[in-house]
Coordinates of all heavy atoms in Angstrom, one line a residue:
M1 N -124.0 291.8 -14.1 CA -125.4 291.9 -14.2 C -126.0 290.5 -14.3 O -125.6 289.9 -15.3 CB -125.9 292.8 -15.2 CG -127.4 293.1 -15.3 SD -127.9 294.5 -16.0 CE -128.4 293.8 -17.6
E2 N -126.9 290.0 -13.6 CA -127.5 288.7 -13.8 C -128.5 288.8 -14.8 O -129.2 289.7 -15.0 CB -128.0 288.2 -12.5 CG -127.1 287.9 -11.4 CD -127.8 287.2 -10.3 OE1 -128.8 286.4 -10.5 OE2 -127.4 287.4 -9.2
K3 N -128.6 287.7 -15.6 CA -129.6 287.5 -16.6 C -130.9 287.2 -15.9 O -131.0 286.2 -15.2 CB -129.2 286.5 -17.7 CG -130.1 286.3 -18.7 CD -129.7 285.2 -19.5 CE -130.8 284.9 -20.5 NZ -130.7 283.6 -21.1
T4 N -132.0 287.7 -16.4 CA -133.4 287.5 -16.0 C -133.9 286.3 -16.9 O -133.7 286.3 -18.0 CB -134.2 288.5 -16.2 OG1 -133.9 289.8 -15.4 CG2 -135.8 288.3 -15.7
L5 N -134.2 285.2 -16.2 CA -134.7 284.0 -17.0 C -136.0 284.2 -17.6 O -137.0 284.9 -17.0 CB -134.8 282.8 -16.1 CG -133.5 282.3 -15.5 CD1 -133.7 281.2 -14.5 CD2 -132.5 281.9 -16.5
S6 N -136.2 283.7 -18.7 CA -137.6 283.7 -19.5 C -138.0 282.2 -19.5 O -137.4 281.3 -19.3 CB -137.3 284.4 -20.9 OG -136.7 283.4 -21.7
V7 N -139.3 282.1 -20.0 CA -139.9 280.9 -20.0 C -139.1 279.9 -21.0 O -139.0 278.8 -20.7 CB -141.4 280.9 -20.6 CG1 -142.0 279.7 -20.9 CG2 -142.2 281.7 -19.7
D8 N -138.4 280.5 -22.1 CA -137.7 279.8 -23.0 C -136.4 279.1 -22.4 O -135.9 278.2 -23.0 CB -137.4 280.6 -24.2 CG -138.7 280.9 -25.0 OD1 -139.5 280.2 -24.9 OD2 -138.6 282.1 -25.6
D9 N -136.0 279.7 -21.3 CA -134.7 279.1 -20.6 C -135.0 277.8 -19.9 O -134.0 277.0 -19.8 CB -134.2 280.2 -19.7 CG -133.5 281.4 -20.3 OD1 -133.0 281.1 -21.3 OD2 -133.9 282.5 -19.7
F10 N -136.3 277.5 -19.7 CA -136.5 276.3 -19.0 C -136.8 275.3 -20.1 O -137.9 275.1 -20.5 CB -137.7 276.6 -18.0 CG -137.5 277.5 -16.9 CD1 -137.8 278.8 -16.9 CD2 -136.8 277.1 -15.8 CE1 -137.6 279.7 -16.0 CE2 -136.5 277.9 -14.8 CZ -136.9 279.4 -14.8
T11 N -135.8 274.4 -20.2 CA -135.9 273.3 -21.3 C -136.1 272.0 -20.7 O -136.2 271.0 -21.4 CB -134.7 273.3 -22.1 OG1 -133.7 273.2 -21.4 CG2 -134.6 274.6 -22.9
L12 N -136.0 271.9 -19.4 CA -136.1 270.6 -18.7 C -137.1 270.6 -17.6 O -137.6 271.7 -17.1 CB -134.7 270.3 -18.1 CG -133.5 270.3 -19.1 CD1 -132.4 270.1 -18.2 CD2 -133.6 269.0 -19.9
M13 N -137.6 269.5 -17.3 CA -138.6 269.2 -16.0 C -137.6 268.3 -15.1 O -137.2 267.3 -15.4 CB -139.7 268.5 -16.5 CG -140.6 268.2 -15.2 SD -141.5 269.8 -14.7 CE -142.7 270.2 -15.9
Q14 N -137.4 269.0 -14.0 CA -136.6 268.4 -12.9 C -137.6 267.5 -12.0 O -138.7 268.0 -11.6 CB -135.9 269.5 -12.0 CG -135.1 268.8 -11.0 CD -134.6 269.8 -9.9 OE1 -135.5 270.3 -9.2 NE2 -133.4 270.3 -10.1
I15 N -137.2 266.3 -11.9 CA -138.2 265.4 -11.0 C -137.3 264.9 -9.8 O -136.2 264.5 -10.0 CB -138.6 264.2 -11.8 CG1 -139.4 264.6 -12.9 CG2 -139.4 263.3 -10.9 CD1 -138.9 264.4 -14.3
V16 N -137.7 265.2 -8.6 CA -137.0 264.9 -7.3 C -137.9 264.1 -6.4 O -139.1 264.5 -6.3 CB -136.6 266.2 -6.7 CG1 -135.9 265.8 -5.4 CG2 -135.7 267.0 -7.6
E17 N -137.4 263.0 -5.9 CA -138.1 262.3 -4.9 C -137.3 262.0 -3.7 O -136.0 261.9 -3.8 CB -138.6 260.8 -5.5 CG -139.6 261.0 -6.7 CD -139.9 259.8 -7.4 OE1 -139.5 258.7 -7.0 OE2 -140.9 259.8 -8.2
F18 N -137.9 261.9 -2.5 CA -137.3 261.8 -1.3 C -137.8 260.4 -0.6 O -139.0 260.0 -0.7 CB -137.5 262.8 -0.3 CG -137.0 264.2 -0.9 CD1 -137.7 265.0 -1.6 CD2 -135.6 264.4 -0.7 CE1 -137.1 266.1 -2.1 CE2 -135.2 265.7 -1.2 CZ -135.9 266.5 -1.9
G19 N -136.9 259.8 0.1 CA -137.4 258.5 0.7 C -136.5 258.0 1.8 O -135.3 258.6 2.1
W20 N -136.9 257.0 2.6 CA -136.2 256.5 3.7 C -135.6 255.1 3.3 O -136.4 254.3 2.8 CB -137.0 256.4 4.8 CG -137.4 257.8 5.3 CD1 -138.6 258.5 5.1 CD2 -136.7 258.6 6.3 NE1 -138.5 259.6 5.7 CE2 -137.5 259.8 6.5 CE3 -135.6 258.4 7.0 CZ2 -137.0 260.7 7.2 CZ3 -135.1 259.4 7.7 CH2 -135.9 260.6 8.0
T21 N -134.4 254.8 3.8 CA -133.7 253.4 3.6 C -134.5 252.5 4.5 O -134.5 252.9 5.7 CB -132.2 253.5 3.9 OG1 -131.7 254.5 2.9 CG2 -131.7 252.1 3.5
Q22 N -135.1 251.5 4.1 CA -135.6 250.5 5.0 C -134.6 249.5 5.5 O -133.5 249.3 5.1 CB -136.7 249.8 4.2 CG -137.7 250.7 3.5 CD -138.5 251.5 4.5 OE1 -139.1 251.0 5.6 NE2 -138.3 252.9 4.4
P23 N -135.0 248.8 6.6 CA -134.1 247.7 7.2 C -133.5 246.8 6.2 O -132.4 246.3 6.4 CB -134.9 247.1 8.3 CG -136.0 248.0 8.7 CD -136.2 248.8 7.4
D24 N -134.2 246.4 5.1 CA -133.7 245.5 4.0 C -132.9 246.0 3.1 O -132.4 245.4 2.2 CB -135.1 244.8 3.5 CG -135.8 245.8 2.7 OD1 -135.6 246.9 2.6 OD2 -136.9 245.2 2.3
G25 N -132.6 247.3 3.3 CA -131.8 248.1 2.3 C -132.4 248.8 1.1 O -131.9 249.6 0.4
L26 N -133.7 248.4 1.0 CA -134.4 249.1 -0.1 C -134.8 250.5 0.3 O -135.0 250.8 1.5 CB -135.7 248.3 -0.5 CG -135.4 246.9 -1.1 CD1 -136.8 246.2 -1.3 CD2 -134.6 247.0 -2.4
I27 N -135.1 251.4 -0.7 CA -135.5 252.7 -0.3 C -137.0 252.9 -0.6 O -137.5 252.6 -1.7 CB -134.8 253.8 -1.2 CG1 -133.2 253.6 -0.9 CG2 -135.3 255.2 -0.8 CD1 -132.4 254.4 -1.9
E28 N -137.8 253.4 0.4 CA -139.2 253.7 0.1 C -139.4 255.2 -0.3 O -139.2 256.1 0.6 CB -140.0 253.2 1.4 CG -141.5 253.6 1.1 CD -142.2 253.2 2.5 OE1 -141.8 252.3 3.2 OE2 -143.3 253.8 2.8
W29 N -139.6 255.4 -1.6 CA -139.7 256.8 -2.1 C -141.1 257.2 -1.6 O -142.2 256.6 -2.0 CB -139.6 256.8 -3.6 CG -138.3 256.4 -3.9 CD1 -138.0 255.3 -4.5 CD2 -137.0 256.9 -3.6 NE1 -136.6 254.9 -4.7 CE2 -136.0 256.1 -4.2 CE3 -136.5 258.1 -3.1 CZ2 -134.7 256.3 -4.1 CZ3 -135.2 258.5 -3.0 CH2 -134.3 257.6 -3.5
A30 N -141.2 258.3 -0.8 CA -142.4 258.7 -0.3 C -143.0 260.0 -0.7 O -144.3 260.3 -0.7 CB -142.2 258.9 1.3
Q31 N -142.2 261.0 -1.2 CA -142.6 262.2 -1.8 C -141.9 262.7 -2.9 O -140.7 262.3 -3.1 CB -142.7 263.2 -0.6 CG -141.3 263.5 0.1 CD -141.3 264.5 1.2 OE1 -142.0 265.4 1.3 NE2 -140.5 264.2 2.2
G32 N -142.4 263.6 -3.7 CA -141.6 264.1 -4.9 C -142.3 265.4 -5.4 O -143.3 265.8 -5.0
T33 N -141.4 266.0 -6.3 CA -141.8 267.3 -6.8 C -141.3 267.3 -8.2 O -140.5 266.7 -8.6 CB -141.1 268.4 -6.1 OG1 -139.6 268.4 -6.3 CG2 -141.5 268.5 -4.6
R34 N -142.0 268.2 -9.1 CA -141.5 268.5 -10.3 C -141.5 269.9 -10.6 O -142.5 270.6 -10.2 CB -142.6 267.8 -11.4 CG -142.6 266.3 -11.5 CD -143.7 265.8 -12.3 NE -143.8 264.4 -12.1 CZ -143.6 263.5 -13.1 NH1 -143.1 263.8 -14.2 NH2 -143.6 262.2 -12.9
R35 N -140.6 270.5 -11.3 CA -140.5 271.9 -11.6 C -139.6 272.0 -12.8 O -138.8 271.3 -13.2 CB -140.0 272.6 -10.4 CG -138.4 272.4 -10.2 CD -138.0 273.4 -9.1 NE -136.5 273.3 -9.0 CZ -135.7 274.1 -9.7 NH1 -136.2 274.9 -10.6 NH2 -134.4 274.1 -9.6
P36 N -140.0 273.1 -13.6 CA -139.2 273.4 -14.8 C -137.8 273.8 -14.3 O -137.6 274.4 -13.3 CB -140.0 274.7 -15.4 CG -141.4 274.5 -14.8 CD -141.2 274.0 -13.5
D37 N -136.9 273.5 -15.2 CA -135.4 273.7 -14.7 C -134.7 274.1 -16.0 O -135.0 273.9 -17.1 CB -134.8 272.5 -14.1 CG -133.6 272.8 -13.3 OD1 -133.2 274.0 -13.0 OD2 -133.1 271.8 -12.6
T38 N -133.4 274.7 -15.7 CA -132.5 275.1 -16.9 C -131.5 274.0 -17.0 O -131.1 273.3 -16.0 CB -132.0 276.4 -16.6 OG1 -131.1 276.4 -15.4 CG2 -133.0 277.5 -16.4
S39 N -130.8 273.9 -18.1 CA -129.6 273.0 -18.2 C -128.5 273.4 -17.4 O -127.8 272.7 -16.8 CB -129.3 272.9 -19.8 OG -128.9 274.2 -20.4
A40 N -128.4 274.8 -17.1 CA -127.2 275.2 -16.4 C -127.4 274.7 -14.9 O -126.4 274.4 -14.2 CB -127.2 276.8 -16.4
N41 N -128.7 274.6 -14.4 CA -128.8 274.3 -13.0 C -128.6 272.7 -12.9 O -128.1 272.2 -12.0 CB -130.3 274.7 -12.6 CG -130.4 274.3 -11.1 OD1 -129.7 274.7 -10.3 ND2 -131.4 273.5 -10.7
R42 N -129.0 272.0 -14.1 CA -128.7 270.5 -14.0 C -127.3 270.3 -14.0 O -126.8 269.4 -13.3 CB -129.3 269.9 -15.3 CG -129.1 268.4 -15.4 CD -129.6 267.8 -16.5 NE -129.0 268.4 -17.7 CZ -129.2 267.9 -19.1 NH1 -130.1 267.1 -19.3 NH2 -128.5 268.6 -20.1
N43 N -126.6 271.1 -14.8 CA -125.1 271.0 -14.8 C -124.5 271.2 -13.5 O -123.5 270.5 -13.0 CB -124.4 271.7 -15.9 CG -124.8 271.2 -17.3 OD1 -125.1 270.2 -17.5 ND2 -124.7 272.2 -18.3
R44 N -125.0 272.2 -12.7 CA -124.5 272.6 -11.5 C -124.7 271.5 -10.4 O -123.9 271.0 -9.8 CB -125.2 273.9 -10.9 CG -124.8 274.3 -9.6 CD -125.6 275.4 -9.1 NE -126.9 275.0 -8.8 CZ -127.4 274.3 -7.7 NH1 -126.5 273.9 -6.9 NH2 -128.6 274.0 -7.7
I45 N -125.9 270.9 -10.5 CA -126.4 269.8 -9.6 C -125.5 268.5 -9.9 O -124.9 267.8 -9.0 CB -127.8 269.4 -9.6 CG1 -128.5 270.5 -9.0 CG2 -128.0 268.1 -9.0 CD1 -130.0 270.6 -9.2
L46 N -125.3 268.2 -11.1 CA -124.5 267.0 -11.6 C -122.9 267.1 -11.1 O -122.4 266.2 -10.7 CB -124.6 266.7 -13.0 CG -125.9 266.3 -13.6 CD1 -126.0 266.2 -15.1 CD2 -126.3 264.9 -13.0
K47 N -122.6 268.3 -11.3 CA -121.1 268.6 -10.8 C -121.1 268.5 -9.3 O -120.0 267.9 -8.7 CB -120.7 269.9 -11.2 CG -119.2 270.3 -10.9 CD -118.8 271.6 -11.4 CE -117.4 272.0 -11.1 NZ -117.0 273.3 -11.7
R48 N -122.0 269.1 -8.6 CA -121.9 269.1 -7.1 C -122.0 267.6 -6.6 O -121.3 267.2 -5.6 CB -123.2 269.9 -6.6 CG -123.3 269.9 -5.0 CD -124.7 270.4 -4.5 NE -125.7 269.5 -5.0 CZ -127.1 269.7 -5.0 NH1 -127.4 270.9 -4.7 NH2 -127.9 268.7 -5.3
D49 N -122.8 266.8 -7.2 CA -123.1 265.4 -6.8 C -122.3 264.4 -7.6 O -122.9 263.3 -7.7 CB -124.6 265.2 -6.7 CG -125.3 266.0 -5.7 OD1 -124.7 266.4 -4.7 OD2 -126.5 266.3 -5.9
A50 N -121.2 264.8 -8.2 CA -120.5 264.0 -9.1 C -120.1 262.7 -8.5 O -119.8 261.6 -9.3 CB -119.3 264.6 -9.8
E51 N -119.8 262.5 -7.2 CA -119.4 261.3 -6.6 C -120.5 260.3 -6.6 O -120.1 259.1 -6.3 CB -119.0 261.5 -5.2 CG -120.1 262.1 -4.3 CD -119.5 262.3 -2.8 OE1 -119.1 261.5 -2.0 OE2 -119.5 263.5 -2.6
Y52 N -121.7 260.6 -6.9 CA -122.8 259.6 -6.8 C -123.1 259.3 -8.3 O -123.6 260.1 -8.9 CB -124.0 260.1 -6.1 CG -123.7 260.5 -4.7 CD1 -123.5 261.9 -4.4 CD2 -123.4 259.6 -3.8 CE1 -123.2 262.3 -3.0 CE2 -123.1 259.9 -2.5 CZ -123.0 261.3 -2.2 OH -122.7 261.7 -0.9
P53 N -123.1 258.0 -8.8 CA -123.4 257.8 -10.2 C -124.8 257.8 -10.5 O -125.6 257.8 -9.6 CB -122.8 256.3 -10.4 CG -122.9 255.7 -8.9 CD -122.7 256.9 -7.9
T54 N -125.0 258.1 -11.8 CA -126.5 258.0 -12.4 C -126.7 256.7 -12.8 O -125.8 256.0 -13.5 CB -126.5 259.0 -13.5 OG1 -126.3 260.3 -12.9 CG2 -127.8 259.1 -14.1
G55 N -127.9 256.1 -12.3 CA -128.1 254.7 -12.8 C -128.6 254.6 -14.2 O -128.8 255.6 -14.8
D56 N -128.6 253.3 -14.7 CA -129.1 253.0 -16.0 C -130.5 253.5 -16.3 O -130.9 253.9 -17.3 CB -129.0 251.6 -16.3 CG -127.7 251.1 -16.4 OD1 -126.7 251.9 -16.6 OD2 -127.5 249.9 -16.1
D57 N -131.3 253.8 -15.1 CA -132.8 254.3 -15.4 C -132.7 255.8 -15.4 O -133.8 256.3 -15.4 CB -133.5 253.7 -14.2 CG -133.0 254.1 -12.7 OD1 -131.9 254.7 -12.6 OD2 -133.7 253.6 -11.7
G58 N -131.7 256.4 -15.3 CA -131.7 257.9 -15.3 C -131.7 258.7 -14.0 O -131.5 259.8 -14.0
W59 N -131.9 257.9 -12.9 CA -132.0 258.5 -11.7 C -130.5 258.5 -11.0 O -129.8 257.7 -11.0 CB -132.9 257.6 -10.6 CG -134.3 257.7 -10.9 CD1 -135.0 256.8 -11.5 CD2 -135.2 258.7 -10.5 NE1 -136.4 257.1 -11.6 CE2 -136.5 258.3 -11.0 CE3 -135.1 259.9 -9.9 CZ2 -137.6 259.1 -10.9 CZ3 -136.2 260.7 -9.8 CH2 -137.5 260.3 -10.2
K60 N -130.3 259.6 -10.4 CA -129.1 259.8 -9.5 C -129.6 259.8 -8.1 O -130.4 260.7 -7.6 CB -128.5 261.2 -9.8 CG -127.2 261.5 -9.0 CD -126.5 262.8 -9.3 CE -125.6 262.6 -10.5 NZ -124.5 261.8 -10.5
I61 N -129.1 258.8 -7.3 CA -129.5 258.8 -5.9 C -128.4 259.3 -5.1 O -127.3 258.9 -5.2 CB -129.8 257.2 -5.6 CG1 -130.9 256.8 -6.4 CG2 -130.0 257.1 -4.1 CD1 -131.2 255.2 -6.2
V62 N -128.9 260.3 -4.2 CA -127.8 261.1 -3.3 C -128.3 261.0 -1.9 O -129.4 261.3 -1.5 CB -127.9 262.7 -3.8 CG1 -126.8 263.3 -2.8 CG2 -127.4 262.6 -5.2
P63 N -127.3 260.6 -0.9 CA -127.8 260.4 0.5 C -128.0 261.9 0.9 O -127.3 262.8 0.5 CB -126.5 259.8 1.1 CG -125.9 259.2 0.0 CD -126.1 259.9 -1.3
Q64 N -128.9 262.1 1.7 CA -129.3 263.3 2.3 C -129.0 263.7 3.6 O -128.5 264.7 4.2 CB -130.7 263.8 2.0 CG -131.1 264.0 0.6 CD -130.3 265.2 0.1 OE1 -130.6 266.3 0.4 NE2 -129.4 264.8 -0.9
S65 N -129.0 262.6 4.6 CA -128.7 262.7 6.0 C -128.2 261.6 6.7 O -128.5 260.4 6.2 CB -129.8 263.4 6.8 OG -131.0 262.3 6.7
L66 N -127.4 261.7 7.6 CA -126.7 260.6 8.4 C -127.4 260.4 9.7 O -127.6 261.3 10.5 CB -125.3 261.0 8.6 CG -124.4 259.8 9.2 CD1 -124.3 258.7 8.1 CD2 -122.9 260.3 9.5
I67 N -128.1 259.2 9.9 CA -128.8 259.0 11.1 C -128.3 257.7 11.6 O -128.2 256.7 11.0 CB -130.4 258.8 10.8 CG1 -130.8 260.2 10.2 CG2 -131.1 258.5 12.1 CD1 -132.4 260.1 9.7
D68 N -127.9 257.7 12.9 CA -127.3 256.5 13.6 C -126.1 255.9 12.7 O -125.9 254.6 12.7 CB -128.4 255.4 13.8 CG -129.5 255.8 14.6 OD1 -129.3 256.6 15.5 OD2 -130.6 255.3 14.3
G69 N -125.3 256.9 12.3 CA -124.1 256.4 11.5 C -124.4 255.8 10.1 O -123.4 255.4 9.6
R70 N -125.5 255.9 9.7 CA -125.9 255.4 8.3 C -126.7 256.3 7.5 O -127.4 257.2 8.2 CB -126.7 254.1 8.5 CG -126.0 253.0 9.1 CD -126.9 251.6 9.3 NE -127.3 251.3 7.9 CZ -128.4 250.6 7.6 NH1 -129.2 250.2 8.7 NH2 -128.9 250.2 6.4
R71 N -126.6 256.3 6.3 CA -127.3 257.2 5.4 C -128.8 256.6 5.3 O -129.0 255.5 4.7 CB -126.7 257.2 4.1 CG -125.3 257.8 3.9 CD -125.5 259.4 4.2 NE -124.1 259.9 4.1 CZ -123.8 261.2 4.2 NH1 -124.8 262.0 4.3 NH2 -122.7 261.7 4.2
R72 N -129.7 257.3 5.9 CA -131.1 256.8 5.8 C -132.1 257.6 5.0 O -132.9 257.0 4.3 CB -131.6 256.7 7.1 CG -130.8 255.8 8.1 CD -131.6 255.2 9.2 NE -130.8 254.5 10.0 CZ -130.8 253.1 10.2 NH1 -131.7 252.4 9.6 NH2 -130.0 252.5 11.1
Y73 N -131.8 259.0 4.9 CA -132.9 259.7 4.1 C -132.1 260.1 2.9 O -130.9 260.5 2.8 CB -133.2 261.1 4.9 CG -134.3 262.0 4.4 CD1 -135.5 261.4 4.2 CD2 -134.1 263.2 3.7 CE1 -136.6 262.1 3.8 CE2 -135.1 263.9 3.2 CZ -136.4 263.4 3.3 OH -137.5 264.0 2.6
M74 N -132.9 259.6 1.8 CA -132.3 259.7 0.4 C -133.1 260.7 -0.5 O -134.2 260.9 -0.3 CB -132.3 258.3 -0.1 CG -131.5 257.3 0.7 SD -129.8 257.5 0.9 CE -129.2 256.7 -0.4
M75 N -132.3 261.1 -1.6 CA -132.9 261.8 -2.6 C -132.6 261.2 -4.0 O -131.4 260.8 -4.1 CB -132.4 263.3 -2.6 CG -133.0 264.2 -3.7 SD -132.1 265.8 -3.8 CE -130.6 265.3 -4.7
R76 N -133.6 261.2 -4.8 CA -133.1 260.9 -6.3 C -133.7 261.9 -7.2 O -134.8 262.6 -7.0 CB -133.6 259.5 -6.7 CG -135.1 259.2 -6.8 CD -135.4 257.9 -7.2 NE -136.9 257.6 -7.3 CZ -137.4 256.5 -7.6 NH1 -136.6 255.4 -7.9 NH2 -138.7 256.3 -7.8
I77 N -132.9 262.1 -8.2 CA -133.2 263.2 -9.3 C -133.0 262.8 -10.6 O -132.0 262.1 -10.9 CB -132.3 264.4 -8.7 CG1 -132.8 265.7 -9.6 CG2 -130.9 264.2 -8.9 CD1 -132.3 267.0 -9.1
R78 N -133.7 263.4 -11.5 CA -133.4 263.1 -13.0 C -134.2 264.3 -13.7 O -135.0 265.0 -13.1 CB -134.0 261.8 -13.4 CG -135.6 261.6 -13.4 CD -136.0 260.2 -13.7 NE -137.3 259.9 -13.7 CZ -138.2 260.0 -14.5 NH1 -137.9 260.3 -15.8 NH2 -139.5 259.8 -14.3
W79 N -133.9 264.4 -14.9 CA -134.6 265.5 -15.8 C -135.2 264.8 -17.1 O -134.7 263.8 -17.6 CB -133.5 266.5 -16.2 CG -132.9 267.2 -15.1 CD1 -133.3 268.4 -14.5 CD2 -131.9 266.9 -14.1 NE1 -132.6 268.8 -13.5 CE2 -131.8 268.0 -13.3 CE3 -131.1 265.7 -14.0 CZ2 -130.8 267.9 -12.1 CZ3 -130.2 265.7 -13.0 CH2 -130.0 266.8 -12.0
E80 N -136.3 265.4 -17.4 CA -136.9 265.0 -18.9 C -137.1 266.3 -19.6 O -137.0 267.5 -19.1 CB -138.3 264.5 -18.5 CG -138.2 263.2 -17.6 CD -139.6 262.6 -17.6 OE1 -140.6 263.4 -17.5 OE2 -139.7 261.5 -17.0
D81 N -137.1 266.2 -21.0 CA -137.2 267.3 -21.8 C -138.8 267.9 -21.5 O -139.6 267.1 -21.5 CB -137.2 266.7 -23.3 CG -137.3 267.8 -24.3 OD1 -138.0 268.9 -24.1 OD2 -136.6 267.6 -25.3
I82 N -138.8 269.2 -21.3 CA -140.0 269.8 -21.0 C -141.0 269.8 -22.0 O -142.2 269.8 -21.7 CB -139.7 271.2 -20.5 CG1 -140.9 271.7 -19.6 CG2 -139.6 272.2 -21.5 CD1 -140.5 272.9 -18.8
R83 N -140.7 269.5 -23.2 CA -141.7 269.4 -24.4 C -142.5 268.2 -24.3 O -143.6 268.1 -24.8 CB -140.9 269.4 -25.7 CG -140.1 270.7 -25.9 CD -139.3 270.6 -27.2 NE -138.1 269.7 -27.0 CZ -137.3 269.3 -27.9 NH1 -137.4 269.9 -29.1 NH2 -136.3 268.4 -27.6
F84 N -142.2 267.3 -23.4 CA -143.0 266.1 -23.1 C -144.2 266.4 -22.3 O -145.2 265.7 -22.2 CB -142.3 265.0 -22.4 CG -141.1 264.3 -23.2 CD1 -140.0 263.9 -22.6 CD2 -141.3 264.1 -24.6 CE1 -139.0 263.3 -23.4 CE2 -140.4 263.7 -25.3 CZ -139.1 263.3 -24.8
Y85 N -144.3 267.7 -21.7 CA -145.3 268.1 -20.9 C -146.1 269.1 -21.5 O -145.7 270.1 -22.1 CB -144.6 268.6 -19.5 CG -143.9 267.6 -18.6 CD1 -142.7 267.4 -19.0 CD2 -144.7 267.1 -17.6 CE1 -142.0 266.3 -18.2 CE2 -143.9 266.1 -16.9 CZ -142.7 265.7 -17.2 OH -142.0 264.8 -16.5
S86 N -147.4 269.0 -21.3 CA -148.3 270.1 -21.9 C -148.2 271.5 -21.1 O -147.7 271.4 -19.9 CB -149.8 269.6 -21.7 OG -150.1 269.4 -20.5
E87 N -148.5 272.5 -21.7 CA -148.3 273.8 -21.0 C -148.9 273.9 -19.6 O -148.1 274.5 -18.8 CB -149.1 275.0 -22.0 CG -148.4 275.2 -23.3 CD -147.0 275.9 -23.1 OE1 -146.9 276.8 -22.2 OE2 -146.1 275.7 -23.9
E88 N -150.0 273.4 -19.4 CA -150.6 273.6 -18.0 C -149.8 272.8 -16.9 O -150.0 272.9 -15.8 CB -152.0 273.2 -18.0 CG -152.3 271.7 -18.3 CD -152.7 271.6 -19.7 OE1 -152.3 272.3 -20.6 OE2 -153.2 270.4 -20.1
H89 N -148.9 271.8 -17.5 CA -148.1 271.1 -16.4 C -146.7 271.4 -16.3 O -145.9 270.7 -15.8 CB -148.2 269.5 -16.9 CG -149.6 269.0 -16.7 ND1 -150.3 268.8 -17.7 CD2 -150.3 268.8 -15.6 CE1 -151.6 268.3 -17.2 NE2 -151.5 268.3 -15.8
R90 N -146.4 272.6 -17.0 CA -144.9 273.1 -16.8 C -144.7 274.1 -15.7 O -145.6 274.7 -15.2 CB -144.6 273.8 -18.2 CG -144.5 272.8 -19.4 CD -144.1 273.7 -20.5 NE -144.3 272.8 -21.6 CZ -143.8 273.1 -22.9 NH1 -143.4 274.3 -23.1 NH2 -144.0 272.4 -23.9

């Protein structure tokens, strides 16, 4: 039987941004989302994407699609303590 999640289970805020690799190699981050998350889901994502290191800034950058033989569409993800956010922003 699956456990039903309660508000108290969401202890993290997941921040995800998507962007395109530019010709100079930099990534232009164009869109992003934030949503409450659980530590179990964070652990699942970190395990799934373990081959990509987490940077000193806390972002894990993961290639999303291969275009013309190169990784061009990218995702970066990190988590923050949900207590940093007011109730209306959770």
